[in-house]
């Protein structure tokens, strides 16, 4: 740790902040090539479902080593599609993690089924397969692990559990595009893997999502579900000179427009570069924050290569004179845009009121939540930005070291 910086007064106490402007925790990277690709789509015949949808899906499937990729209008819509295709319906149950964005559990509710949470493993904060198995009943149809922060869940154990109980694994890999598990790409392992293409993610389409799968039958139903349950697309009908279409099931309009797919296709070209930079930033944080008082760094299991959507540290308040909230505020005052991922889903008022959660049900997730802080992490971050984060962490943690 630096020495002079640590003697400076904290910005929250009237000192000079480490940075003059806020460094956000995440930010999109859009270049001139992306803008040209979108402009080209806007000048073409197709604004919504056109040729770029299939091209983007093919590029995406290839990137994650999946046979099929089906685009959706958001990561949430992708989850809903997967929940539908898994056959979730009234009276059914699914097991998921509380350490996620609420959309992971909400997609089960959209299907009028019931999500049950199971606690996470203390190291990765990913769904603990043993805890998940305890929640499986005769009504369980699906398991929804999340690759928290971009670190793949324990997929082999979960697939094994699913096999033994006849369940579908829907992996929410919103954080993990480009991540690897036991030498395999995230997106190629679970029955269905969902991604979000929101601006803070690895590749963005503005709003957007994707489901990948190795199974043609699942891909086919996903495509129908996103298009009102209709068995063919308008473009296919037009090229075949036909007007007939058949609605064969109840679906939604969850299509991702050609304009957005143009952006996604252009962004995909930089996925590897983007991943490499995220990994470089994570390695710099891990090397330079090691040994800071009261700081627990993220664990990476030996068989996982994370995609580093988030770099989430835990503040060990046993070694500090204040709690996470004060550390958060002090870092924000230094203009470091820290964030917290996540408030455990069962603690949100909707879940408390509907299902009677009171807190204390999932002790590992709840204890982690009290300590979590996501540090800035996005590919356009410069080395000087990383220096600022390290300097601010040192300044704040040293001040509050107990
Ligand atoms: C883990 C997780 N699941 C689902 C979603 C929902 O994705 P979207 O915002 O694209 O609907 C997000 C988005 O932040 C997420 O982080």
């Amino acid at each position: 740790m630096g020495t002079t910086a640590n003697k400076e007064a904290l910005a929250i106490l009237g000192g000079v902040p480490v940075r003059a402007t806020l460094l956000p925790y995440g930010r999109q990277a859009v270049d001139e090539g992306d803008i040209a690709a979108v402009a080209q789509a806007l000048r073409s015949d197709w604004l919504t479902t056109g040729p770029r949808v299939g091209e983007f899906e093919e590029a995406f499937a290839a990137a994650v080593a999946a046979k099929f990729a089906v685009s959706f209008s958001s990561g949430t819509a992708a989850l809903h599609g997967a929940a539908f295709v898994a056959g979730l319906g009234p009276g059914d149950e699914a097991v998921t993690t509380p350490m996620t964005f609420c959309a992971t559990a909400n997609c089960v509710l959209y299907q009028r089924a019931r999500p049950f949470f199971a606690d996470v493993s203390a190291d990765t904060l990913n769904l603990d397969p043993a805890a998940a198995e305890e929640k499986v009943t005769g009504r369980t149809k699906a398991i929804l692990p999340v690759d928290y922060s971009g670190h793949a869940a324990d997929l082999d154990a979960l697939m094994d559990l699913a096999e033994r109980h006849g369940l579908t694994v829907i992996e929410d890999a919103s954080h993990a595009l480009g991540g690897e598990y036991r030498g395999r790409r995230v997106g190629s392992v679970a029955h269905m893997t969902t991604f979000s293409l929101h601006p803070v993610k690895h590749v963005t389409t503005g709003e957007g999502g994707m489901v990948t799968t190795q199974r043609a039958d699942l891909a086919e139903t996903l495509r129908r579900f996103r298009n009102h349950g209709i068995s063919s697309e308008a473009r296919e009908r037009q090229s075949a000179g036909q007007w007939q279409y058949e609605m064969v099931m109840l679906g939604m309009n969850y299509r991702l427009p050609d304009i957005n797919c143009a952006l996604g296709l252009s962004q995909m070209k930089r996925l590897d570069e983007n991943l490499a930079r995220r990994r470089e930033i994570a390695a710099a944080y891990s090397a330079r924050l090691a040994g800071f008082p009261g700081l627990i760094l993220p664990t990476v299991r030996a068989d996982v290569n994370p995609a580093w959507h988030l770099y989430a540290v835990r503040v060990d308040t046993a070694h500090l004179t204040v709690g996470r909230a004060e550390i958060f505020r002090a870092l924000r005052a230094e203009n470091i845009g820290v964030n917290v991922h996540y408030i455990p889903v069962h603690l949100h008022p909707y879940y408390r009121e509907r299902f009677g959660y009171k807190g204390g049900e999932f002790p590992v997730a709840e204890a982690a939540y009290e300590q979590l802080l996501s540090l800035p992490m996005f590919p356009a971050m410069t080395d000087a930005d990383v220096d600022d984060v390290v300097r601010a962490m040192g300044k704040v943690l040293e001040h509050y070291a107990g």
Side-chain angles (χ1 to χ4, degrees), residues 178-196:
E180 286 162 323
Y181 173 80
R182 299 190 172 167
R184 287 170 284 165
R185 280 260 162 156
V186 163
S188 67
V189 182
H191 299 111
M192 287 178 276
T193 308
T194 71
F195 297 87
S196 163

Side-chain angles (χ1 to χ4, degrees), residues 74-76 79 100-101 103-104 146 172 174-175 196 198 201 208 342:
S74 68
T76 304
L79 279 164
T100 185
F101 183 61
T104 320
V146 171
D172 181 347
S174 292
H175 298 184
S196 163
H198 177 275
K201 303 301 194 305
Y342 287 98

Side-chain angles (χ1 to χ4, degrees), residues 51-206:
R52 291 167 188 84
V53 177
E55 285 171 38
F56 179 41
E57 291 173 342
E58 267 177 39
F60 199 99
V64 304
K67 288 205 179 100
F68 306 96
V70 181
S71 58
F72 279 81
S73 53
S74 68
T76 304
L79 279 164
H80 187 190
F84 174 86
V85 172
L88 283 167
D92 293 334
E93 298 176 4
V95 180
T96 190
T97 164
M99 185 49 72
T100 185
F101 183 61
C102 51
T104 320
N106 290 350
C107 74
V108 178
L109 294 176
Y110 297 155
Q111 285 303 109
R112 303 191 184 285
R114 161 100 203 247
F116 281 87
F117 299 101
D119 214 342
V120 295
S121 304
D123 59 343
T124 58
L125 305 185
N126 281 332
L127 187 62
D128 174 351
E133 185 148 23
E134 279 173 24
K135 296 296 167 87
V136 172
T137 73
R139 289 181 295 279
T140 309
K141 278 214 172 137
I143 312 181
L144 293 97
V146 171
D147 302 323
Y148 177 79
S149 80
H151 184 292
D154 202 345
L155 296 174
D156 281 349
L158 292 165
M159 290 298 283
D160 174 65
L161 163 61
E163 180 132 348
R164 283 185 283 108
H165 295 275
L167 314 176
T168 300
V169 175
I170 302 169
E171 178 188 356
D172 181 347
S174 292
H175 298 184
L177 177 56
E180 286 162 323
Y181 173 80
R182 299 190 172 167
R184 287 170 284 165
R185 280 260 162 156
V186 163
S188 67
V189 182
H191 299 111
M192 287 178 276
T193 308
T194 71
F195 297 87
S196 163
L197 305 169
H198 177 275
V200 294
K201 303 301 194 305
H202 291 69
V203 159
T204 190
T205 54

Side-chain angles (χ1 to χ4, degrees), residues 273-286:
E273 193 184 303
N274 172 335
L275 277 165
R277 180 62 185 151
R278 286 177 183 269
R279 287 177 177 143
E280 220 168 64
I281 294 167
Y285 278 153
S286 296

